[in-house]
Amino acid sequence: MSLRTPTNEALRADEGCNLFEMESRVVKKIGERNVRVSNLPQRSIRFVKDLVTTLVEERWRYLLLVFVGSYVGSWALFAGLWYILSYAHGDLILDQTTGARLGDGGQPCVDGATTFVGFLLFSMETQISTGYGAKVPTEECPESFGLLTIQLIVGLLIDGAILGVVYAKMVRPPQKISEMKFSKRAVICMRDGRLCFVFRICDRKWQHAIETKVTAVLLQPYRTKEGETIEKQETYLQLENEGRLVLLWPVTVCHVIDRNSPLYDVSAKDLMSQKLEIVITITGGTMTTGQINQARTSYVPSEICWGHRFRDIVEYDSRKDCYVAVNERMHELEEIETPLCSARHLDLLRAKVRHSEMTTSVD
């Protein structure tokens, strides 16, 4: 049984060296999906139907542009409606000599507005101010009460939409949150005499403090007995404690490579030739808002270090009377003696050793 560990150059290859693996990654290191959907029917209509999600996921510059456009558009629209209402009432018919109003009724529908610019200012005043100045609606036109009510409701709807979308956009986790939560590399090492796949998680902002759940999914090409090729077959890795963690400090998550593991037949040599990807997902709620957050990352073979383990970064400080976790060192590894064979081969060797010992004892 070999107990040598491979060199850093062999098992800790740089991320940019294996271009095929990097390009075939389904989930990027920062958690973004590396998937594009093409030829989607009615794609634009789908974005409009789910307008809230579209606005939340858009960049701030486009979001502000949409809201500014909605305000300006509503002001201009209602300015045109007020103009049409006044024109139909005859309020815009003026004496060219004296400037007096020649229309019907004792007073105009909107007092103080005679041009489109005046109606635009009146529309802005109606929608965003608490009172009127020189331009006010009168009791002359019953239609003005209905139009005024509609404009006030539309203004409230736009204000409410802005507050809701801005709040949802501000409380959601940042796009690069995965870089702070997951170790850059995963390791395969021995724990209690068993090969284990291990990675580290750190939740410094306590964004997943409630009902923390971690899952690991192996994505790998698979060919069925009927000859069908599945590009990325999903196989869940069984994690210790069923993936439930208490993230008081940076913790390591372990998957034991046993008979039920899809990595059971993978050796150190086979690992570098495998076209696999392990997607890690952490889900939990924040203690501040209770909102459910999710962060993801993935590991490809060039990011899995065989024969290494994570350094211990948690220690007790007697002067501060508390535990101290050095988060800057959460990515540090150290080499340890680890068999280079697969877990299956390791079990076979152990079985042979036990059988040999039993035979010797009987003799």
Side-chain angles (χ1 to χ4, degrees), residues 75 78 82 109-113 118-139 143-153:
W75 296 337
F78 283 100
W82 284 110
C109 295
V110 179
D111 190 13
F119 284 106
L120 181 60
L121 294 175
F122 170 75
S123 178
M124 296 172 62
E125 240 181 283
T126 300
Q127 196 162 324
I128 64 175
S129 66
T130 58
Y132 290 102
K135 301 175 180 60
V136 294
T138 64
E139 302 176 358
E143 300 86 353
S144 62
F145 294 99
L147 184 58
L148 181 63
T149 302
I150 295 174
Q151 183 171 5
L152 291 176
I153 293 175

Side-chain angles (χ1 to χ4, degrees), residues 275-312:
K275 298 178 182 178
L276 59 85
E277 178 180 359
I278 300 178
V279 179
I280 309 298
T281 305
I282 175 175
T283 306
T286 62
M287 300 183 64
T288 305
T289 63
Q291 183 181 14
I292 300 299
N293 293 326
Q294 187 179 84
R296 292 177 299 187
T297 191
S298 68
Y299 298 103
V300 294
S302 61
E303 298 167 344
I304 302 176
C305 301
W306 194 294
H308 292 74
R309 67 183 177 190
F310 290 98
R311 294 183 183 273
D312 187 14

Side-chain angles (χ1 to χ4, degrees), residues 43-337:
R43 179 179 181 181
S44 301
I45 298 178
R46 294 174 186 267
F47 282 112
V48 174
K49 287 183 178 180
D50 194 6
L51 186 59
V52 175
T53 304
T54 302
L55 292 177
V56 171
E57 293 180 351
E58 277 294 342
R59 296 183 179 180
W60 280 103
R61 61 175 72 97
Y62 301 123
L63 179 64
L64 295 177
L65 183 62
V66 169
F67 285 139
V68 170
S70 63
Y71 273 122
V72 174
S74 64
W75 296 337
L77 173 63
F78 283 100
L81 295 178
W82 284 110
Y83 186 90
I84 294 174
L85 179 62
S86 298
Y87 181 82
H89 191 256
D91 298 338
L92 305 183
I93 304 176
L94 304 177
D95 190 333
Q96 298 182 357
T97 304
T98 61
R101 188 177 65 86
L102 301 178
D104 299 333
Q107 54 184 345
C109 295
V110 179
D111 190 13
T114 56
T115 62
F116 181 79
V117 176
F119 284 106
L120 181 60
L121 294 175
F122 170 75
S123 178
M124 296 172 62
E125 240 181 283
T126 300
Q127 196 162 324
I128 64 175
S129 66
T130 58
Y132 290 102
K135 301 175 180 60
V136 294
T138 64
E139 302 176 358
E140 181 68 25
C141 301
E143 300 86 353
S144 62
F145 294 99
L147 184 58
L148 181 63
T149 302
I150 295 174
Q151 183 171 5
L152 291 176
I153 293 175
V154 170
L156 290 175
L157 290 176
I158 295 177
D159 293 340
I162 290 177
L163 292 176
V165 172
V166 170
Y167 174 78
K169 196 172 181 64
M170 291 182 65
V171 299
R172 71 169 185 165
Q175 294 182 355
K176 296 185 178 180
I177 196 171
S178 299
E179 293 183 347
M180 301 181 293
K181 292 186 175 294
F182 302 99
S183 57
K184 295 179 180 179
R185 297 181 181 273
V187 299
I188 293 181
C189 60
M190 296 294 294
R191 278 191 175 184
D192 297 328
R194 299 177 297 179
L195 280 176
C196 297
F197 170 80
V198 184
F199 56 93
R200 179 176 276 172
I201 293 180
C202 175
D203 190 7
R204 289 178 289 181
K205 296 185 178 181
W206 286 68
Q207 292 179 323
H208 300 83
I210 304 175
E211 292 293 332
T212 305
K213 177 70 174 179
V214 181
T215 59
V217 181
L218 175 66
L219 304 180
Q220 191 176 26
Y222 175 73
R223 188 176 182 84
T224 64
K225 297 179 180 179
E226 293 76 15
E228 178 185 2
T229 301
I230 302 176
E231 179 62 26
K232 296 293 182 181
Q233 185 186 31
E234 299 180 4
T235 305
Y236 279 83
L237 303 183
Q238 184 67 34
L239 303 178
E240 289 186 345
N241 300 324
E242 297 182 353
R244 300 190 179 278
L245 305 174
V246 180
L247 295 178
L248 300 177
W249 48 56
V251 297
T252 56
V253 184
C254 177
H255 162 69
V256 178
I257 305 177
D258 54 14
R259 296 178 181 273
N260 300 321
S261 173
L263 302 176
Y264 191 56
D265 294 316
V266 178
S267 64
K269 182 180 179 181
D270 298 333
L271 179 63
M272 301 310 298
S273 61
Q274 293 283 332
K275 298 178 182 178
L276 59 85
E277 178 180 359
I278 300 178
V279 179
I280 309 298
T281 305
I282 175 175
T283 306
T286 62
M287 300 183 64
T288 305
T289 63
Q291 183 181 14
I292 300 299
N293 293 326
Q294 187 179 84
R296 292 177 299 187
T297 191
S298 68
Y299 298 103
V300 294
S302 61
E303 298 167 344
I304 302 176
C305 301
W306 194 294
H308 292 74
R309 67 183 177 190
F310 290 98
R311 294 183 183 273
D312 187 14
I313 60 175
V314 179
E315 57 186 17
Y316 184 80
D317 191 338
S318 58
R319 293 177 300 176
K320 297 181 180 179
D321 195 21
C322 65
Y323 286 93
V324 177
V326 186
N327 292 319
E328 292 77 9
R329 297 175 52 197
M330 70 170 292
H331 305 292
E332 293 185 4
L333 307 176
E334 60 183 2
E335 295 187 26
I336 59 173
E337 290 187 348

